[in-house]
Amino acid sequence: MKRGSNIDEEWDQMHRITACKAEEDYKLWLRFDDGLEGSVFLGNLLEIGAFQLWRDVREFEKVSVDPDTATVTWEGGIRLDSDVLYQDLASRSHPIQHAGGGNPPPAVG
């Protein structure tokens, strides 16, 4: 049971990925534990080191969520930082409202 909440602890908490799915054109659909979901484009990584394995799209499609770290992983040891993926999605998906987030618009009249 969690006692007392420290704002700094909440801020530093890693965003955990709960589901993922490879999509066409090297897009990866993700869902995070706070409900944020969407797709990120990863095709720009194809020329970098270990990511060249993804040139065979079947390798890219073998993505899974690591149950221990709650981040995305592929065979060959490829892992992507869930916080970076979260920030990418959040910056483009800001209209998505999370439970309890934000104030309702003011009433008119």
Side-chain angles (χ1 to χ4, degrees), residues 17-93:
I17 296 171
T18 59
C20 69
K21 180 176 67 172
E23 296 180 324
E24 291 183 9
D25 299 323
Y26 296 99
K27 289 181 184 166
L28 183 64
W29 175 85
L30 301 163
R31 180 185 300 132
F32 288 87
D33 57 357
D34 68 352
L36 179 69
E37 62 181 68
S39 296
V40 294
F41 175 70
L42 300 177
N44 56 326
L45 300 175
L46 288 173
E47 300 301 318
I48 302 171
F51 298 106
Q52 292 178 14
L53 180 67
W54 291 352
R55 288 180 180 172
D56 179 348
V57 73
R58 292 170 296 189
E59 293 300 321
F60 177 73
E61 292 170 348
K62 293 179 182 177
V63 64
S64 62
V65 177
D66 182 309
D68 296 325
T69 62
T71 191
V72 288
T73 185
W74 286 263
E75 291 179 8
I78 297 174
R79 295 179 176 277
L80 297 179
D81 186 313
S82 59
D83 286 328
V84 172
L85 294 169
Y86 185 93
Q87 293 306 321
D88 184 28
L89 271 183
S91 68
R92 292 182 290 114
S93 306

